[in-house]
Amino acid sequence: MATVTGDVTLDGQPLAEGNIRFEPSNGDDPTAGDKIHDGKFKLDVAVGKAKVRITASKVIGQEPVYPGSNSMMRDKVVELIPRKYNAETTLELDVQKNAPLAKFDLLSKP
């Protein structure tokens, strides 16, 4: 295992809050994930190549849990980070012990 520290920006600004997940490419080592706060993260990850997925959501209102007038309400959220950085990620990192700071500079538009 190695401790990975890093920065995440979205359109040049530190990502206020989000989640980061490392999925080892070998499929044998455990997945690791943690919160991003003020563009910073730190977590222990298996050494080797890993896919990286970054997500961040924003509450845009309320919506009913189920159809009908008596439904409870829940937060309606949208994903702020494009799919190419999470569901269809193109991000990878070769995790090594004593590696330098990892930087992920994300763009909200292609």
Side-chain angles (χ1 to χ4, degrees):
M1 299 295 279
T3 299
V4 177
T5 58
D7 295 329
V8 179
T9 62
L10 180 62
D11 298 328
Q13 299 298 313
L15 184 62
E17 290 185 21
N19 295 292
I20 189 163
R21 182 177 171 107
F22 289 81
E23 299 173 354
S25 298
N26 67 16
D28 294 330
D29 292 316
T31 297
D34 205 1
K35 300 275 186 198
I36 299 166
H37 294 286
D38 298 323
K40 308 264 183 217
F41 67 90
K42 180 179 181 179
L43 69 160
D44 291 330
V45 180
V47 171
K49 292 187 186 225
K51 284 192 172 221
V52 181
R53 298 182 192 276
I54 299 172
T55 59
S57 58
K58 176 182 176 184
V59 176
I60 60 168
Q62 295 279 299
E63 65 184 357
V65 174
Y66 55 87
S69 60
N70 294 330
S71 175
M72 296 175 16
M73 300 299 282
R74 66 178 169 207
D75 288 342
K76 183 175 183 177
V77 297
V78 294
E79 178 61 47
L80 298 175
I81 310 295
R83 294 177 61 85
K84 70 179 181 178
Y85 303 125
N86 47 61
E88 299 169 1
T89 190
T90 58
L91 300 174
E92 292 185 331
L93 184 67
D94 189 5
V95 177
Q96 300 297 320
K97 290 187 183 266
N98 303 316
L101 185 73
K103 290 183 156 264
F104 298 102
D105 298 315
L106 314 180
L107 298 173
S108 60
K109 307 254 185 214

